[in-house]
Amino acid sequence: QVQLVESGGGLVQAGGSLRLSCAASGRTSSSYTMGWFRQAPGKEREFVSAINWSGSRRYYADSVKDRFSISRDNAKKTAGLQMNNLKPEDSAVYYCTAKAGSYLGTATTDYNYWGQGTQVTVSS
C-alpha cells in the first residue's frame, strides 16, 4: 500500500500563487507516476497534471498549462504542484495520486492510490 498526504492548500486571491506538496509513504517506488486531480463542488474529479518517475515527462490539462508546474523529488518521496496566476475557477479540492508504470494517465481509473485532498480556494 502507498499512502499519500497533501498539504499547502488555502485561500488566495485571484492572480496569486500556491504550492501544493504530496508526501508518499508505505510501499513506495520511484518508478511510480505521480499526478494531481481536482474536484469542485458538483463537478467530477478532473485531471490536472502528471509526471513520470524521472521527471522527464510531464503532462498538463489545457486549463492549467503555462500556469501550473508539477515536480517530484524521489529521494524525499514527494511531489509538488506550483500554481501561479490562480483563477476563481481553480477553486477545488486537489488530490495527489500515484500509479505504477510510466503511462501518464488522465483518467481517475488510471491511478491506484489517492490522498485525502487539500482545499484550494481562489477569491475574485
Side-chain angles (χ1 to χ4, degrees):
Q1 281 285 12
V2 175
Q3 291 80 43
L4 303 172
V5 178
E6 303 93 338
S7 61
L11 174 64
V12 65
Q13 289 188 332
S17 299
L18 279 176
R19 180 175 175 79
L20 305 183
S21 294
C22 174
S25 61
R27 299 182 66 179
T28 59
S29 170
S30 61
S31 65
Y32 277 30
T33 288
M34 303 289 292
W36 290 92
F37 282 70
R38 66 187 182 186
Q39 187 167 20
K43 295 187 177 182
E44 293 187 353
R45 193 170 297 190
E46 65 175 5
F47 171 78
V48 174
S49 184
I51 186 170
N52 73 331
W53 69 273
S54 67
S56 62
R57 292 189 296 122
R58 308 175 191 203
Y59 189 65
Y60 299 93
D62 287 343
S63 59
V64 306
K65 199 175 296 183
D66 299 325
R67 299 188 298 121
F68 290 12
S69 179
I70 192 171
S71 62
R72 67 186 295 165
D73 184 331
N74 289 335
K76 296 182 179 179
K77 296 183 179 181
T78 60
L81 185 69
Q82 178 66 42
M83 305 185 295
N84 298 326
N85 190 21
L86 283 160
K87 303 175 181 180
E89 52 263 42
D90 294 320
S91 296
V93 177
Y94 282 70
Y95 297 90
C96 178
T97 187
K99 60 178 287 293
S102 61
Y103 171 63
L104 300 186
T106 61
T108 56
T109 52
D110 291 330
Y111 291 85
N112 307 108
Y113 305 103
W114 295 84
Q116 293 299 307
T118 185
Q119 178 70 49
V120 171
T121 303
V122 184
S123 63
S124 57

